Amino acid sequence: MNKQIISFPKDGKPSLIPNRWQVWDGEHDEGGIPDLEHGMHKVLVPFHWWITHYKNPDIIHRANQGEIGVWFAADDDILKHTDIIEAGKSLWPVVGAHFPIFRDGRSFSTAALLRGRFDWQGEVRAIGDVLIDQLLQGARVGFDTFELRADQNLDVALKQFDLFSVVTQNSWRDQRATIAAS
Amino acid sequence: MYKYDHIDQTLVDQRVIQFQNQVERRLNGTLAEEEFRPLRLQNGLYHQRHAYMLRIAIPYGLLSSKQLRTLAFIADKYDRGYGHFTTRQNIQFNWVELEKTPDILAELAKVEMHAIQTSGNCIRNITSDAFAGVAADEYVDPRPICELLRQWSTLHPEFAHLPRKFKFAINGAKEDRTVLLCHDVGIELKKNPAINNGELTADIYAGGGMGRTPILGSLIKQGLPWQVLPSYLTALLRVYNRFGRRDNLYKARIKILVKALGPEEFARQVEGEWANFHNEAKQSKDNFTQAEWERVAKHFTKPNYKDLTELSDEQLQSHADSKLNASEKIGFTRWLERNVKPHQVPGYASVILSLKPHGTAAPGDATSAQMNAIADLADQYSFGELRVTHEQNLVLADVEQMELLNLWRAAKNYNLVLPNIGLLTDIIACPGGDFCSLANAKSLPIAKAIQERFDDLDYLHDLGDITLNISGCINSCGHHHVGNIGVLGVDKDGEEWYQITLGGDQGNDASIGKVIGPSFYANEIPDVMTSLINTYVEQRTADEPFIDTYRRLGVAPFKEAAYRNNGKHSKESSKGAIA
């Protein structure tokens, strides 16, 4: 996992912050969340794993401590699990949406739905094959933190958010400039 | 035409800087080619067989003389002195260098042009009727909606990485000149007193397309008020983005999703998604406002037309006759008949400049000298504006009838007045295997051979309306599926073969052509065309167009004639296989 992630709060500025969350892929499941790296207590578990484990008392306990979030795979249909996600709003400090490869845009819609449909107010993190040139789009649809692929240059990444001063359609972050001009 | 304000200009200027930065990272090795690829494609930059190709958007086909001069300048400075107008109202330059593309984009930005989303798996350049705003059969000028949606779709963050490319066409006339039903989304604009108080509404067709699986779009929504287009289209694209197939490139277009679900189920899912936008609290933010309409629509007012008297064809002819010699008379008369179209305003006409000379240039190609000349003609005769048709010709939309003769003379000097619009040699063709790395076969030599075979204008005029479309591969950029005669290049064991389809049509009776049988060698194609055309001439009733004869008789007599004299060298036909 990356030591630093990009944080770009909706009404703030982009910056690098320490990464407190480990993304667990859900594999090698030996009956629970695996041991985490030294000093790490917080973990994003796959949403499909959460669905089958969230009634487990240990998991409930950890979740109540604010140590568990979920991440959505690109092919998770989050609209099929609205009850679980609604309940999760008071449990998960962070949710993630995963990019299996940079050119797979499904998680943009997942983030837009989380913000627009579920009115998710907490953090939405982009994980997986997240590259510099997805940041602008991601930030607009609803992501506010980004764990970039390890080889990406974070200085170049941080500069992406200043590239455009106008947009021509509404998004989670901003309203189209054209409406104000009209 | 639309003029950028500071918002539009800022956006394209900043887009140039963004792309400059991406190119720099590519050149210094920090951005891998595989990861650069979708970025350059979304700026219209392909890597072709020989060089990079840059595809520049001509939104809904509208171009100013100033913009055309810039395109001529780019052709000379950065390319080889010509450009290729495409079937989707773009222009392509085939020989650009990667390092120079940011400079080209900067030149374009100076004249309010760009290459944004002319390729890639995103919403592409929106196309429309080349005769928008002037066509005699128009009930709604589609250009304000085209422009509003151009802006809405430009750099749309949620739909930057769709399963596959996504093409809009918008029509507002009785006759469909946009191939509406062959688009991912077709928007038909209407004004019906019974719906939405007679305000502008849209009927939405989804899931049309050509390519490997040609399908005509299905009507999924009727009478949609224009204001709610952003939320409805967001819902539609979101359903596609989430559920369109990503496992197989050839099944990733929306047409496959619509077909798999069925149009009713697809429409229901879109409606379900839309219901969450379209509520009292949210719609006020997403909907287009009247003020936004006015910001855009004020640019599409009528030019300063003179108060003129409408002239009949006979009057026009007799006006010209005294000034023309015998051979000129024939040429001018044919040109009036084929290349001049009726106009909404008395005393005006629209003129199509043919970019389909017989065998001397690729269909849709224009040299920089022609572009500069056309820009001058536009300034002199048509309020400084012109349009690009999906048939790859150019239109001067607002010409005074009394000036037609002067225009004809001036355009003749640049080889732009061949009276073959809508005729057999007005061929739509993709660049094919000469340029494109996707192509299985060449298309330009086939077009050239057919144009040379049918070089007799008397004969062509006698044949009347026939569309002949050629694609070098199944991606169908030459729209062969909707040609009355379609030619498709196919690869068999490393050799170039050509498959013939018949019965395709665009317009209100759009239909997909049917394959007649095994493919032919390239050198057989002119003879095959002769056989098909002879069959038509023998079988037609008076004034019956080719497509009607085909529909009346079916494929059998055409097929029989095509294979009677041809296909003898074909390995497949000797084996009796069906291509």
Side-chain angles (χ1 to χ4, degrees), chain B residues 325-346:
Chain B
N325 65 36
S327 74
E328 285 178 326
K329 269 183 202 167
I330 299 171
F332 184 69
T333 305
R334 283 183 180 142
W335 184 75
L336 283 181
E337 189 189 325
R338 299 303 321 189
N339 299 32
V340 178
K341 302 290 172 190
H343 198 283
Q344 290 173 355
V345 177

Side-chain angles (χ1 to χ4, degrees), chain B residues 229-247:
Chain B
L229 280 166
S231 56
Y232 187 83
L233 292 169
T234 299
L236 187 155
L237 275 142
R238 183 173 289 169
V239 170
Y240 170 56
N241 191 37
R242 298 180 73 221
F243 301 114
R245 287 182 60 172
R246 291 174 187 263
D247 59 325

Side-chain angles (χ1 to χ4, degrees), chain A residues 167-168 170 175-182, chain B residues 7 151 284-289 291-292 295:
Chain A
V167 296
T168 52
N170 288 0
Q175 206 180 22
R176 59 198 188 272
T178 44
I179 198 166
S182 301
Chain B
I7 296 170
Q151 296 178 18
S284 57
K285 284 193 297 181
D286 284 323
N287 289 353
F288 287 139
T289 64
E292 282 179 289
R295 170 177 175 263

Side-chain angles (χ1 to χ4, degrees), chain B residues 388-419:
Chain B
V388 184
T389 73
H390 102 84
E391 291 90 351
Q392 305 176 280
N393 294 307
L394 297 177
V395 172
L396 298 176
D398 298 293
V399 180
E400 291 175 32
Q401 286 179 305
M402 287 299 281
E403 294 291 342
L404 285 169
L405 180 59
N406 291 334
L407 169 59
W408 178 75
R409 282 214 159 107
K412 202 166 186 278
N413 295 329
Y414 290 91
N415 200 18
L416 294 165
V417 295
L418 194 68

Side-chain angles (χ1 to χ4, degrees), chain B residues 220-367:
Chain B
I220 62 159
K221 184 78 181 172
Q222 273 185 294
L224 196 67
W226 66 273
Q227 295 92 336
V228 302
L229 280 166
S231 56
Y232 187 83
L233 292 169
T234 299
L236 187 155
L237 275 142
R238 183 173 289 169
V239 170
Y240 170 56
N241 191 37
R242 298 180 73 221
F243 301 114
R245 287 182 60 172
R246 291 174 187 263
D247 59 325
N248 181 339
L249 184 68
Y250 300 114
K251 298 192 171 175
R253 294 288 290 271
I254 193 176
K255 64 192 172 187
I256 304 294
L257 178 66
V258 174
K259 194 180 173 200
L261 293 174
E264 298 78 16
E265 173 58 18
F266 177 76
R268 195 192 63 74
Q269 291 193 15
V270 173
E271 205 71 26
E273 183 60 40
W274 187 47
N276 289 282
F277 286 94
H278 193 64
N279 58 54
E280 284 304 316
K282 290 178 181 170
Q283 68 168 329
S284 57
K285 284 193 297 181
D286 284 323
N287 289 353
F288 287 139
T289 64
Q290 190 61 34
E292 282 179 289
W293 170 276
E294 280 151 20
R295 170 177 175 263
V296 164
K298 69 180 180 210
H299 297 292
F300 298 106
T301 51
K302 303 291 181 197
N304 197 12
Y305 292 121
K306 291 179 192 164
D307 194 8
L308 301 173
T309 310
E310 181 75 12
L311 300 176
S312 67
D313 289 351
E314 293 73 26
Q315 285 171 308
L316 269 174
Q317 194 66 57
S318 66
H319 160 74
D321 273 357
S322 58
K323 299 172 184 169
L324 294 167
N325 65 36
S327 74
E328 285 178 326
K329 269 183 202 167
I330 299 171
F332 184 69
T333 305
R334 283 183 180 142
W335 184 75
L336 283 181
E337 189 189 325
R338 299 303 321 189
N339 299 32
V340 178
K341 302 290 172 190
H343 198 283
Q344 290 173 355
V345 177
Y348 284 84
S350 296
V351 170
I352 306 176
L353 300 172
S354 173
L355 296 183
K356 312 292 178 67
H358 285 173
T360 56
D365 275 9
T367 63

Side-chain angles (χ1 to χ4, degrees), chain B residues 474-534:
Chain B
I474 195 62
N475 288 308
S476 315
C477 296
H479 294 183
H480 67 280
H481 292 300
V482 293
N484 298 162
I485 302 172
V487 180
L488 167 65
V490 289
D491 173 78
K492 307 265 182 203
D493 303 326
E495 289 186 282
E496 296 185 357
W497 296 76
Y498 295 88
Q499 194 179 67
I500 304 290
T501 51
L502 290 178
D505 200 12
Q506 58 187 62
N508 295 359
D509 297 322
S511 52
I512 304 290
K514 290 197 169 51
V515 178
I516 66 167
S519 334
F520 299 92
Y521 276 138
N523 61 11
E524 295 177 302
I525 294 294
D527 289 341
V528 171
M529 289 302 147
T530 299
S531 299
L532 295 173
I533 295 302
N534 285 348

Side-chain angles (χ1 to χ4, degrees), chain B residues 147-205:
Chain B
E147 177 56 31
L148 283 166
L149 289 177
R150 180 192 74 82
Q151 296 178 18
W152 168 79
S153 62
T154 297
L155 306 185
H156 197 298
E158 189 176 341
F159 307 125
H161 293 285
L162 294 168
R164 202 71 176 83
K165 57 189 172 182
F166 202 93
K167 299 172 180 178
F168 281 57
I170 304 179
N171 188 51
K174 190 172 160 209
E175 175 72 20
D176 168 32
R177 286 174 286 265
T178 66
V179 212
L180 192 89
L181 295 180
C182 288
H183 283 76
D184 298 283
V185 161
I187 301 177
E188 190 164 34
L189 299 175
K190 292 185 170 167
K191 275 187 180 171
N192 181 341
I195 303 170
N196 198 27
N197 301 321
E199 267 205 76
L200 184 59
T201 60
D203 289 353
I204 309 288
Y205 293 82

